[in-house]
Amino acid sequence: MPQFQFDSLGDFLSMGGDAFFVWGAYAFFAVSMIWHIIQPGMQRRKVIRLVRARMQRDQQ
Amino acid sequence: MWQWLYRLGSPKLFYDMTTGFLPWLTIVTYFLLIVGLVWGLGFVPPDYQMGDNFRIAYIHIPMSVGAMGIYAMMACMAAMHMIWNIKLADLVARSCAALGATYCALSLVTGSLWGKPTWGTYWIWDARLTSMLILLFVFIAIMALRSAYDSENSGSKAASVLTLVGVVNLPIIHYSVVWWNTLHQGDSILGVSSQSANPPEVWSPAFFVGLGLIGFFFQALIRRTRNEILLHERRSQWVQQLLTSKQLQE
Amino acid sequence: MLSASGLYCERDERVLFSRLDFDISAGRVLQIQGSNGSGKTTLLRILCGLNADYEGELRWEGKLINATVEHFRAGMFYLGHSPGINKALTPMQNLRWFCANRGFADDAAIIAALEEFGLSVYRDIPCFQMSAGQQRRVSLARLPLSGASLWILDEPFTALDRRAVADLEARIAEHASSGGAVILTTHHPLQLSCALEIINLDERGPQ
Amino acid sequence: MNLSGSRQTLGTGASLAATLQRELLIILRSPGDIVNPLMFYVIAVSLFPLGGQADAEWLSGIAAGVIWVTALLAVMLSMESLFRSDYEDGSLEQLLLSPQPLYFHLLVKVLGHWLLTGLPLVLLTPVLAMMLALPGEAYWPLLLGLLLGTPTLNLIGAIGMALTVGLKRSGVLLAVLVLPLSIPVLVFGSGMVQTTLNGLPYTGLAAVLGALLVMTVSLAPLAIGAALRISVN
């Protein structure tokens, strides 16, 4: 099992001096992934609401 | 021979098939991503040359490959939509565009953030980064064209035509950018790091992250396509019956 | 000649028509009636092949349309809302291009057609200098030249004076009696000397 | 006008000639469609010395790129006159409904449009190259490149125009669609000048531009036809 490369959490966060770039890249990555997790869910609720409203309108 | 193509292309079949399959795909994807990323970020020894910033490669490379793969898939869907008029293929292509653009943009952002510590500048006109930039332009052009039409049918057909024109052009664009690059600079530096002989313990987390991102793409694609199917088939009997049933809690 | 089966078309959340079956054969004139927005123009554009957003089958002389597109287009003439002539060109040049598109060159026939529609004096004057009615007549002058057996006319009587309307009605009747067929839409009460069949999109209602 | 009145059936070639003649007539009747793109081309190129410095050294360095980019944009702007008037007056519908093969008619129509908008642009280029102090030996590769490149750009622009002719405000969208696709022509075209300045032969690049032209001539009408059927839908 490969062992943890960094002495402390602080060292891990500093990422060998390039913290801004590594964590910046992963931040963009995380934001996009979260967006692509939330967005389909919101879209689904919007679609269901839209179709149900249409069904009511058709029934009258 | 066409019967099975049309049966396969029926949105209802796709919806029913994916209902059971989706949760499993999501679980496997998250597992792969978490394992790969934690491993890559924390447990891989720093690179002797670049120190720790090579860890960006774990997401940069899958993103670049993913963007091109997504475009290829979108082109196949566009071809199926234009040639055999399979509506499901267009719904899938529509969902591919947004995801493809995101993967492409992420590849550019991570590439430039990786470039700063390694070569001192955020943007270098390297052949692969430039081709990725142009691929992003094409993705955006396709989405812009699709939304520019009032009627959804024409918009989809127009976007499919542009996708197919794009798929013919993109290899030529890549070749011209590579040639143009050799005209102005030596060979691209970015390529060096990923081809250098990485020992297995550096390479294996990339395997997890790569698979995880492919899984993530399909999982997001299926969810988006299901929404498009519900919207597109709203008039059909099975959608109305599905929506009136209580157990659909959202 | 042209037969449609199970035509279904939906536009902006409204079903214009569904399960529409009809066929038109030589010697018959078919009028599509309906209020504004009932899908008359859409139906005509589907029949002539400009609009592909429909379900159902169209057959030309028994064979599926996409199998005989070439033959269908040679035998059909579509007159839409827009005149289909370029305003910068003269009637002569416009009609000469129209004939070339139909695969022949016959200046004498063009001059004769312009004569019939009372436009011979305008032969070499650019169309933008003519009134809307005259431009409409240049567009109608293509009818005798087209040599098409099926005419699909969308509101052919707009912007025409009384004499031109009567003349066009006579021409339609004469075309039908000589073995052609006409499908048209109009808000103008038709007095045709030949039989007229009517399909009313409102009464049919989108079942 | 042959008044003999005998009705000759025209082969495809003759009816293509009729389409070409009509296209040239229409554009000649509205000279703005020829002059405006050329004026844009000249003005845009002369903006660069005003925007940057005027010394020959700097200008000659960017001359090829400036000329090629402005030529590309000028071709895009001249695309407006290709289908717009035919779409509005209904002749585009007649073209789509004519029994003639659409593929060749579109090809003839676009090449006719190129004759009156692309070719003058190429002929005007030496004047602008002189303004940008382009070294003498680079003139011929620049002209040859533009001669091979502008028809390709016309065809690619025609695809974009066919896709957007049915839309209301489609000027900017046309550029967004078409510019990424015209990058190979731009790269190899201005590359021809750079390699000549570096003292290397440019014939290989001219061959690549020729290959791009042949590919676009053979494939673009298919896309244009499909796009027009969608726009007219």
Side-chain angles (χ1 to χ4, degrees):
Chain A
M1 210 341 244
Q3 33 81 19
F4 191 57
Q5 286 305 315
F6 296 90
D7 325 332
S8 70
L9 187 61
D11 181 19
F12 175 68
L13 286 182
S14 76
M15 200 47 86
D18 300 329
F20 170 73
F21 306 109
V22 176
W23 296 118
Y26 276 85
F28 274 107
F29 170 73
V31 164
S32 317
M33 290 301 120
I34 290 161
W35 164 250
H36 276 291
I37 291 167
I38 300 168
Q39 206 264 349
M42 291 193 307
Q43 189 188 23
R44 183 178 172 81
R45 270 185 291 282
K46 186 160 71 71
V47 162
I48 287 171
R49 222 177 320 112
L50 192 83
V51 174
R52 279 195 174 137
R54 178 78 30 67
M55 276 155 51
Q56 258 94 34
R57 207 153 19 103
D58 289 349
Q59 262 129 29
Q60 279 121 23
Chain B
M1 132 75 170
W2 301 118
Q3 265 4 35
W4 66 269
L5 201 66
Y6 275 92
R7 207 171 39 71
L8 186 72
S10 93
K12 181 176 184 335
L13 188 75
F14 179 91
Y15 196 91
D16 297 342
M17 245 179 7
T18 50
T19 317
F21 171 72
L22 192 56
W24 295 107
L25 176 64
T26 317
I27 294 162
V28 166
T29 304
Y30 289 153
F31 167 75
L32 282 173
L33 271 181
I34 289 159
V35 163
L37 288 179
V38 164
W39 185 351
L41 274 173
F43 293 84
V44 167
D47 187 78
Y48 57 91
Q49 241 180 358
M50 284 187 276
D52 284 302
N53 59 39
F54 83 96
R55 298 180 200 283
I56 300 178
Y58 288 124
I59 46 172
H60 172 68
I61 291 165
M63 285 291 164
S64 319
V65 172
M68 285 184 268
I70 292 171
Y71 192 91
M73 176 170 176
M74 202 163 86
C76 300
M77 292 300 141
M80 281 167 67
H81 175 50
M82 286 305 283
I83 298 165
W84 295 302
N85 219 344
I86 297 174
K87 192 55 192 166
L88 177 64
D90 169 58
L91 299 180
V92 172
R94 177 190 295 261
S95 321
C96 279
L99 276 159
T102 315
Y103 273 48
C104 208
L106 268 178
S107 149
L108 286 171
V109 165
T110 50
S112 90
L113 276 172
W114 189 12
K116 180 67 177 159
T118 330
W119 309 295
T121 61
Y122 278 109
W123 179 256
I124 49 164
W125 286 97
D126 158 71
R128 288 197 315 196
L129 276 180
T130 319
S131 309
M132 199 51 71
L133 183 67
I134 298 163
L135 182 62
L136 181 62
F137 293 158
V138 175
F139 268 121
I140 290 165
I142 289 168
M143 288 195 285
L145 182 64
R146 185 187 292 277
S147 53
Y149 275 78
D150 317 334
S151 100
E152 180 261 347
N153 259 333
S154 313
S156 314
K157 288 214 177 79
S160 305
V161 167
L162 186 61
T163 312
L164 292 176
V165 168
V167 87
V168 170
N169 268 299
L170 280 172
I172 300 167
I173 290 174
H174 181 64
Y175 171 71
S176 64
V177 166
V178 164
W179 173 84
W180 166 79
N181 199 268
T182 54
L183 184 70
H184 294 290
Q185 249 178 350
D187 195 28
S188 85
I189 305 121
L190 189 67
V192 164
S193 57
S194 56
Q195 266 105 24
S196 59
N198 299 63
E201 77 270 2
V202 172
W203 174 78
S204 45
F207 178 76
F208 278 84
V209 177
L211 269 184
L213 282 175
I214 292 171
F216 182 87
F217 162 68
F218 278 106
Q219 170 259 344
L221 178 72
I222 288 172
R223 290 176 67 199
R224 282 170 175 274
T225 310
R226 282 158 64 93
N227 297 340
E228 299 284 351
I229 289 174
L230 285 183
L231 198 61
H232 183 262
E233 299 287 317
R234 59 190 173 281
R235 206 168 288 288
S236 67
Q237 223 282 331
W238 67 276
V239 169
Q240 311 214 336
Q241 191 237 344
L242 187 77
L243 287 188
T244 48
S245 60
K246 253 62 79 227
Q247 98 281 5
L248 199 67
Q249 74 288 6
E250 279 121 341
Chain C
M1 205 179 274
L2 177 72
S3 68
S5 54
L7 277 189
Y8 166 90
C9 179
E10 173 198 337
R11 189 178 53 186
D12 317 331
E13 307 302 317
R14 267 184 332 101
V15 178
L16 298 178
F17 43 79
S18 62
R19 290 195 300 282
L20 174 64
D21 308 309
F22 71 91
D23 72 279
I24 182 131
S25 52
R28 290 162 57 195
V29 178
L30 173 65
Q31 182 187 0
I32 313 282
Q33 278 179 353
S35 56
N36 282 340
S38 62
K40 301 195 298 294
T41 303
T42 312
L43 176 59
L44 288 191
R45 288 175 72 91
I46 287 173
L47 293 181
C48 71
L50 280 177
N51 186 339
D53 281 353
Y54 66 92
E55 274 138 36
E57 271 174 13
L58 283 174
R59 288 177 187 285
W60 174 252
E61 270 140 20
K63 293 197 288 296
L64 266 175
I65 277 257
N66 5 34
T68 65
V69 172
E70 213 71 30
H71 183 56
F72 170 63
R73 288 198 185 131
M76 178 274 299
F77 172 70
Y78 170 73
L79 179 75
H81 288 301
S82 42
I85 53 165
N86 187 296
K87 297 200 175 26
L89 300 179
T90 68
M92 195 67 191
Q93 288 159 342
N94 269 310
L95 293 179
R96 199 176 274 145
W97 180 61
F98 174 75
C99 296
N101 251 339
R102 309 293 295 190
F104 66 93
D106 190 349
D107 286 353
I110 295 176
I111 294 164
L114 287 174
E115 187 68 38
E116 276 173 50
F117 282 83
L119 295 165
S120 48
V121 75
Y122 296 101
R123 195 169 45 202
D124 293 318
I125 296 168
C127 291
F128 62 83
Q129 291 170 3
M130 296 156 65
S131 73
Q134 284 160 336
Q135 285 175 17
R136 195 76 199 170
R137 292 216 300 271
V138 173
S139 164
L140 288 172
R142 297 178 298 171
L143 283 173
L145 291 169
S146 68
S149 50
L150 171 65
W151 291 357
I152 301 181
L153 313 173
D154 198 349
E155 315 264 354
F157 298 102
T158 46
L160 288 186
D161 53 39
R162 285 199 33 68
R163 202 178 54 72
V165 165
D167 173 36
L168 183 55
E169 279 175 347
R171 184 176 298 280
I172 290 176
E174 187 266 337
H175 178 66
S177 60
S178 67
V182 179
I183 303 176
L184 74 153
T185 65
T186 180
H187 290 298
H188 153 82
L190 267 174
Q191 291 107 15
L192 282 182
S193 55
C194 66
L196 175 68
E197 295 156 51
I198 291 177
I199 291 183
N200 193 314
L201 290 182
D202 293 337
E203 273 137 31
R204 273 188 88 261
Q207 294 95 355
Chain D
M1 268 190 325
N2 53 352
L3 274 183
S4 63
S6 68
R7 176 190 173 112
Q8 320 125 326
T9 53
L10 291 180
T12 324
S15 75
L16 288 180
T19 305
L20 179 67
Q21 188 200 2
R22 174 179 183 269
E23 184 65 19
L24 299 179
L25 267 176
I26 292 175
I27 298 177
L28 284 172
R29 285 284 159 78
S30 61
D33 293 337
I34 303 173
V35 171
N36 296 344
L38 289 182
M39 283 320 300
F40 166 83
Y41 182 46
V42 171
I43 295 168
V45 167
S46 43
L47 290 181
F48 279 86
L50 298 168
Q53 308 110 350
D55 74 80
E57 188 53 40
W58 181 75
L59 279 179
S60 66
I62 61 163
V66 160
I67 286 180
W68 262 97
V69 169
T70 40
L72 174 61
L73 297 176
V75 167
M76 286 312 124
L77 291 174
S78 71
M79 274 300 118
E80 199 63 28
S81 66
L82 186 58
F83 294 126
R84 182 70 66 191
S85 62
D86 286 345
Y87 176 79
E88 268 141 22
D89 62 35
S91 9
L92 195 58
E93 285 170 1
Q94 290 305 327
L95 184 65
L96 292 176
L97 289 182
S98 87
Q100 299 288 331
L102 182 65
Y103 179 95
F104 295 108
H105 276 262
L106 288 179
L107 198 57
V108 158
K109 196 168 163 56
V110 176
L111 293 184
H113 182 265
W114 174 74
L115 276 177
L116 289 178
T117 55
L119 204 53
L121 197 123
V122 174
L123 302 180
L124 198 62
T125 306
V127 172
L128 302 177
M130 193 177 55
M131 271 164 59
L132 295 179
L134 190 71
E137 73 275 10
Y139 276 65
W140 182 236
L142 179 64
L143 286 184
L144 180 61
L146 278 171
L147 204 59
L148 289 170
T150 40
T152 318
L153 295 176
N154 250 33
L155 282 161
I156 296 172
I159 296 175
M161 196 61 216
L163 283 167
T164 59
V165 72
L167 306 174
K168 292 168 289 307
R169 304 167 309 287
S170 65
V172 182
L173 183 63
L174 174 68
V176 167
L177 300 187
V178 168
L179 290 181
L181 302 177
S182 41
I183 283 169
V185 175
L186 173 69
V187 161
F188 288 117
S190 56
M192 272 174 80
V193 180
Q194 304 295 8
T195 45
T196 319
L197 296 179
N198 303 347
L200 302 167
Y202 59 82
T203 46
L205 293 171
V208 170
L209 269 180
L212 277 177
L213 174 59
V214 165
M215 186 197 89
T216 316
V217 162
S218 53
L219 292 181
L222 298 172
I224 298 170
L228 283 178
R229 289 197 197 289
I230 296 165
S231 300
V232 165
N233 199 346

